[in-house]
Amino acid sequence: MKDTSHELSKHDIAAFFNAYDTAIHQDPYPFYTKMLQDFPAYYLEERDTWIVSKHEYVQFILKSPKLIRERSSLDGEPVVDDPPRWRNIQELVQDWMLFRDPPTHTRLRSHVAYAFTPKTLEQSKPQIRSIAESLAADMQKETNPEILQQFAFPLPVMVIADMLGVPKEERDVFKKWSNSLARLLDVAILSEEHLDEGDLAASEIRAYFRQLVKERKKNPKEDIISELIHVQNHEHQLSEEELINNCILLLVAGHETTVNLIGNGMKLFIENPSSYNLLHQNPELIPSAVEEVLRYEGPVQFTNRAAGEDIILGDTLIKRGKEVIVGLGAANRDPAIFNDPNHFDITRKKNRHLAFATGPHFCIGAPLARLEAITAFQVLLQHFPALRLADPSPVWRDQILFRGLEALHVKF
């Protein structure tokens, strides 16, 4: 898309949300800037959906109980059964707390939150550091190092698999399942091929976790699954399907976002040598740098809601029942909130980004993602004080919701 002073056309907006447009997705931020300027709340007729980008509006939508996840709660909402061939997807996501409203969301979240308590995270620190050090040491031996496959992908899947109690030798297949299921969350229109792939992954991963739960019931260990089984047995607050499906959610959501956070961050640091040098000399700035990566090149660009009742955004009426796509990435570049929003500044103060959303659905895994990213950058900067891009134009993955690279080839 050309970055001109003219207003966006309907074709531009429809092209972005209906299909993957390489030119726009390589750098969507001029597009977001025009959305913020011209259409902070825009109705996309082709999809009968509102697109909201303004930070003030996005924050309201994420916090308001008037905006919901469960369309089935709307009176008169027709119930349409998914085609039988995608039944595994339906049975998987129906219990995901991500798609539920209170009180079910509150109940599910309160139990799964065990995995992210300060005590649990503190206990995880040495293991996360050990994994990161090992991966960095292996990467140093490579003649053509690639950060995503050799570091960013394995780190979070090894961490969450360890927390869930998954045997080490079975973690590689987790990445394949996670990638297939993550695409189901996208706001783009999915092809039947993607749905078939996701349905197969849903069937396989649920069967795997069902067996794992069976084993943990016989032989409990110090892991998330054993803890949730304890909740199921003693508090009767979780069904076995809810337990299985939300463990899978932890794997998919936590893995995809952290991979992108690490990859996007390293790309930004390498492209901004002054920031790279500053972080190497002042590693205490790494937590601040993580927040700026989350704002500037967030791993999750969109989420969505449905209007549970009529709502007003400025002078715009969004009627009850309408779908709303919420632009987290655009809101994080809103000049009404952020000074010089298109400038990458690792020392930025009062960084009120919405990369982890806000309100009841604030990302439950945010503390773990921050810990993993901080540890990853500490280790990578220590091992590689002067990286360069081997490919000056890395290719972004063909997804709209998740923003991450296909690969990040570097030179020592």
Side-chain angles (χ1 to χ4, degrees), residues 45 78 83 129 191 274 288 324 357 404:
E45 294 182 11
R129 183 79 185 201
S191 68
S274 60
S288 172
V324 183

Side-chain angles (χ1 to χ4, degrees), residues 114-115 120 123-131 154-171 174 208-209 212 216 221-226 251 368 372:
Y114 153 80
T120 302
Q123 292 172 341
S124 300
K125 279 184 178 181
Q127 178 68 356
I128 295 172
R129 183 79 185 201
S130 175
I131 293 171
L155 174 63
V157 78
M158 290 171 75
V159 170
I160 193 65
D162 186 67
M163 294 175 72
L164 289 168
V166 173
K168 294 180 180 179
E169 61 272 16
E170 298 174 0
R171 292 172 183 174
F174 265 41
Y208 177 87
F209 269 93
L212 197 59
R216 287 296 181 275
K221 296 185 178 181
E222 293 185 2
D223 55 36
I224 294 173
I225 291 177
S226 299
L251 168 69
L368 177 60
E372 289 176 319

Side-chain angles (χ1 to χ4, degrees), residues 24 63 151 179 208 225 234 265 398:
I24 295 180
K63 289 184 175 181
F151 189 96
N179 291 340
Y208 177 87
I225 291 177
H234 295 274
D398 60 345

